[in-house]
Amino acid sequence: MKRVFSLKGLSLLLVLALFLSIIAGCGSKETNETASQKDEGEKTTRTADEPAWQADTSPIEFDWYVNFSWFAHKWGEDAISKYVTDKTGVSINFQSPAGNEIEKMNTMIASGKIPDFITIGWWEDAVKQMIEGELVLPLNELADQYDPYFFKVADGAKLEWYKQEDGNVYGYPNASSSPKDFEKYSEFKSSNQTFLVRKDMYEAIGSPDMSTPEGFINALEAAKEKFPEVNGAPLIPLGLNEFTDVGNSSLEDYLQNFLAIPWEKDGKVYDRRLDSEYLSWLKTLREANEKGLIADDIFIDKRPQMEEKIAQGRYFAMLYQRSDMAAQQQALYAQDPNSVYIAVDGPANSNGDEPTLAGDSISGWTITLISKEVEDKERAIAFLSYLISEEGQKDTFLGIEGETYEVVDGKPQFTADVQELLDADRAKFDLEIGASHKYWMLMDTNMTLPWMPPSVEPFKQMEDWTKGKTTSFAEFDGYNPTGTSEEGVAALKIAQEWGKVLPKLIIAESDKEFDKIFDEFLEKRDKFGQEKIDKYRQDIYEKNKAKIDASK
């Protein structure tokens, strides 16, 4: 973090330098005493009714690290960030890793130097390391000392959920729904998890049922036969999330949720990876690969390569998250509305049950923490309080009344030209306007529901398809052990082994070889300590369930 000073009047400062040096002893003593009092915890006299950020809107800049390599937005280039800076005095210097996120976090933690704000997936082991290493500050203590308004605008259920054993709360989530929220907004709840097909290709092969293994393979075959190339490049019959050293999310929770595989049975955590329906569908993918329907690209492509191929419409089907392809979907729609991707019934269990897709849970998606290295703790907690407040949410989602939004019949909505830009060109909208969750680090997806413009194509169909199929799995949040505990070490070893095994299962030459590879994996995970992990998961599940039950 660094203060932002103007260079205007530099010559006058030089002239005054000698005079200032003469009185520096007295002046520096007063300044140092004031700073010392602040550092030692002099408590503010502010109340919960007074937003602390309003007391000081002088220019200040914070370094804000976002632990996602794909994040590339810059603060100050769009109308919204300029407006927030003019209003609060706060500018942001966003930082993100150029390569592997885990390696970057490990390097920063080892150095003990963490940027002022950190936004990171709540499940990341680095969160625990930063808290245990005392590299981040308790938000509740900062609020007690500098900004009681935080407690007025923060969700008590979320604070209780993230309370650590020492009684402190170190991070605040985005996209988080408490059980009460989920129940209250259930009819509006949608999931990001979708099975997508390219509309024109799907319709050209007769809009087949792809929910059964046979129908799934037949559709991939038909698409490849009818559309062997897309603009001179080979068709990719099936697209997935990228393979990592610990697996592939499309072929784990996504597929398991589509198959409606339970997370628990009779109060006991269920090992979804052992489910017969799941293994049957992995064998279906093995068969698809044997028939030449799984392209080599999916084993090696990273997100940038995938985004390029989505924009080219090279995938026929995808088990993917709809929001991460919005810009590409919009580009396809502009070229040809029939070339977009639509959501259809994907893999299903043998009973044909509807999928149970993941929606917002109380853990949310990411959490944001404040570093102990931050120079101005008061401005930091005040800015966080502002962002999570209704005022901050409205400023970052809607922007400037009369310019980017207006109130019609009591309801805030984007002006016609802003809405038109949002519908036509999301990338340009982000660059020029910067509203509608461009700055998602502390977005409250429940609070912004009343301001959301009605979904339009080419996004409406995908979103609508997930409604009614969305479920909260909050009681299982954080049930996978991390860190250097025995359970954490065992879990990491098993995860890394699974990362090696999963692609081998897909490219196995026969079901017999598949079974052999999987059985060997089970033997290894037992040796690594699967039993300890099972006990850990059961314990966390029961604690989470008790928390949730208490909040109802």
Side-chain angles (χ1 to χ4, degrees), residues 186-321:
S186 59
E187 63 179 296
F188 303 105
K189 288 297 182 184
S190 58
S191 177
N192 210 15
Q193 299 176 345
T194 45
F195 180 72
L196 307 170
V197 292
R198 189 169 143 168
K199 183 175 185 292
D200 51 1
M201 294 181 181
Y202 182 66
E203 293 175 348
I205 62 174
S207 303
D209 178 6
M210 299 183 69
S211 65
T212 66
E214 181 181 10
F216 181 85
I217 287 181
N218 287 344
L220 296 185
E221 285 184 314
K224 184 177 180 181
E225 182 178 347
K226 194 171 185 66
F227 304 97
E229 291 187 345
V230 179
N231 297 324
L235 175 77
I236 304 173
L238 179 65
L240 306 167
N241 273 299
E242 65 182 77
F243 280 82
T244 70
D245 62 343
V246 294
N248 185 305
S249 58
S250 293
L251 298 182
E252 294 166 67
D253 283 351
Y254 281 32
L255 178 56
Q256 291 162 359
N257 289 347
F258 265 86
L259 300 179
I261 297 172
W263 289 71
E264 61 84 23
K265 287 186 177 182
D266 300 323
K268 298 295 183 182
V269 172
Y270 182 60
D271 194 335
R272 305 173 92 204
R273 194 174 283 170
L274 301 182
D275 189 87
S276 60
E277 301 271 7
Y278 176 58
L279 294 175
S280 176
W281 267 95
L282 287 185
K283 287 184 176 180
T284 298
L285 293 172
R286 187 213 66 77
E287 182 182 348
N289 182 71
E290 186 179 15
K291 292 177 178 291
L293 302 173
I294 304 293
D296 291 342
D297 306 52
I298 70 169
F299 295 106
I300 57 176
D301 281 350
K302 300 301 181 184
R303 181 158 168 163
Q305 290 77 41
M306 294 169 61
E307 289 179 346
E308 181 179 354
K309 290 170 181 176
I310 293 172
Q312 295 166 351
R314 287 186 59 192
Y315 298 103
F316 162 61
M318 290 189 292
L319 191 54
Y320 200 68
Q321 55 276 11

Side-chain angles (χ1 to χ4, degrees), residues 295-443:
D296 291 342
D297 306 52
I298 70 169
F299 295 106
I300 57 176
D301 281 350
K302 300 301 181 184
R303 181 158 168 163
Q305 290 77 41
M306 294 169 61
E307 289 179 346
E308 181 179 354
K309 290 170 181 176
I310 293 172
Q312 295 166 351
R314 287 186 59 192
Y315 298 103
F316 162 61
M318 290 189 292
L319 191 54
Y320 200 68
Q321 55 276 11
R322 58 185 175 84
S323 66
D324 284 2
M325 52 171 291
Q328 294 76 31
Q329 175 86 330
Q330 206 162 42
L332 290 170
Y333 188 74
Q335 295 169 14
D336 179 1
N338 286 318
S339 71
V340 299
Y341 289 90
I342 58 173
V344 299
D345 293 342
N349 63 36
S350 56
N351 293 326
D353 295 327
E354 276 205 335
T356 52
L357 306 178
D360 294 346
S361 73
I362 194 167
S363 293
W365 169 30
T366 66
I367 59 172
T368 293
L369 309 93
I370 296 178
S371 169
K372 73 168 186 178
E373 296 292 314
V374 68
E375 291 180 13
D376 196 322
K377 299 178 179 67
E378 184 170 0
R379 294 292 295 277
I381 187 63
F383 189 59
L384 189 148
S385 296
Y386 157 74
L387 289 175
I388 66 175
S389 71
E390 183 174 352
E391 181 178 9
Q393 292 290 311
K394 184 173 285 188
D395 287 348
T396 52
F397 185 85
L398 289 168
I400 312 157
E401 185 172 2
E403 294 185 29
T404 60
Y405 82 94
E406 57 192 354
V407 179
V408 178
D409 297 328
K411 179 182 178 180
Q413 61 185 43
F414 289 123
T415 60
D417 56 338
V418 169
Q419 184 64 53
E420 182 179 353
L421 179 58
L422 175 61
D423 294 340
D425 192 338
R426 176 74 204 211
K428 187 176 181 181
F429 174 90
D430 282 346
L431 186 63
E432 295 182 0
I433 308 299
S436 188
H437 294 322
K438 173 183 177 179
Y439 301 108
W440 44 260
M441 297 78 190
L442 287 164
M443 65 180 177

Side-chain angles (χ1 to χ4, degrees), residues 5-304:
F5 295 102
S6 171
L7 295 180
K8 188 176 180 179
L10 179 60
S11 58
L12 178 60
L13 291 176
L14 292 173
V15 171
L16 293 175
L18 180 61
F19 173 73
L20 292 174
S21 66
I22 294 173
I23 65 170
C26 178
S28 62
K29 183 176 185 293
E30 181 178 351
T31 301
N32 290 338
E33 286 178 352
T34 302
S36 176
Q37 290 171 350
K38 199 170 185 180
D39 288 341
E40 289 174 5
E42 181 181 333
K43 193 166 184 175
T44 179
T45 57
R46 296 192 182 92
T47 69
D49 296 322
E50 177 190 8
W53 70 266
Q54 295 178 352
D56 186 355
T57 58
S58 61
I60 190 173
E61 182 176 87
F62 290 108
D63 292 330
W64 193 318
Y65 175 78
V66 180
N67 194 44
F68 295 92
S69 59
W70 47 263
F71 182 80
H73 291 312
K74 302 295 182 184
W75 186 269
E77 65 183 9
D78 54 66
I80 298 306
S81 58
K82 291 176 182 176
Y83 172 65
V84 171
T85 294
D86 288 344
K87 183 175 187 175
T88 66
V90 176
S91 297
I92 301 296
N93 172 36
F94 279 125
Q95 302 171 4
S96 58
N100 185 279
E101 290 91 345
I102 295 176
E103 292 179 1
K104 178 63 175 179
M105 282 303 309
N106 287 341
T107 299
M108 290 196 300
I109 290 171
S111 72
K113 302 293 184 182
I114 306 293
D116 304 314
F117 287 86
I118 316 97
T119 294
I120 184 172
W122 62 261
W123 62 90
E124 298 282 358
D125 187 49
V127 175
K128 183 178 180 182
Q129 293 179 44
M130 287 188 288
I131 293 173
E132 292 181 347
E134 298 183 349
L135 299 177
V136 289
L137 299 171
L139 300 183
N140 52 295
E141 291 186 358
L142 289 175
D144 278 334
Q145 185 173 342
Y146 301 115
D147 186 17
Y149 182 68
F150 170 82
F151 295 112
K152 182 176 182 178
V153 296
D155 187 315
K158 296 171 187 177
L159 295 180
E160 188 64 30
W161 182 262
Y162 274 103
K163 184 181 291 184
Q164 301 297 307
E165 291 183 1
D166 63 3
N168 292 322
V169 178
Y170 294 86
Y172 198 82
N174 72 350
S176 167
S177 287
S178 67
K180 289 182 180 179
D181 288 334
F182 210 91
E183 184 177 340
K184 180 179 179 180
Y185 299 105
S186 59
E187 63 179 296
F188 303 105
K189 288 297 182 184
S190 58
S191 177
N192 210 15
Q193 299 176 345
T194 45
F195 180 72
L196 307 170
V197 292
R198 189 169 143 168
K199 183 175 185 292
D200 51 1
M201 294 181 181
Y202 182 66
E203 293 175 348
I205 62 174
S207 303
D209 178 6
M210 299 183 69
S211 65
T212 66
E214 181 181 10
F216 181 85
I217 287 181
N218 287 344
L220 296 185
E221 285 184 314
K224 184 177 180 181
E225 182 178 347
K226 194 171 185 66
F227 304 97
E229 291 187 345
V230 179
N231 297 324
L235 175 77
I236 304 173
L238 179 65
L240 306 167
N241 273 299
E242 65 182 77
F243 280 82
T244 70
D245 62 343
V246 294
N248 185 305
S249 58
S250 293
L251 298 182
E252 294 166 67
D253 283 351
Y254 281 32
L255 178 56
Q256 291 162 359
N257 289 347
F258 265 86
L259 300 179
I261 297 172
W263 289 71
E264 61 84 23
K265 287 186 177 182
D266 300 323
K268 298 295 183 182
V269 172
Y270 182 60
D271 194 335
R272 305 173 92 204
R273 194 174 283 170
L274 301 182
D275 189 87
S276 60
E277 301 271 7
Y278 176 58
L279 294 175
S280 176
W281 267 95
L282 287 185
K283 287 184 176 180
T284 298
L285 293 172
R286 187 213 66 77
E287 182 182 348
N289 182 71
E290 186 179 15
K291 292 177 178 291
L293 302 173
I294 304 293
D296 291 342
D297 306 52
I298 70 169
F299 295 106
I300 57 176
D301 281 350
K302 300 301 181 184
R303 181 158 168 163

Side-chain angles (χ1 to χ4, degrees), residues 464-475:
D464 287 349
W465 184 88
T466 70
K467 291 180 178 178
K469 305 178 181 73
T470 304
T471 306
S472 173
F473 299 118
E475 59 266 42

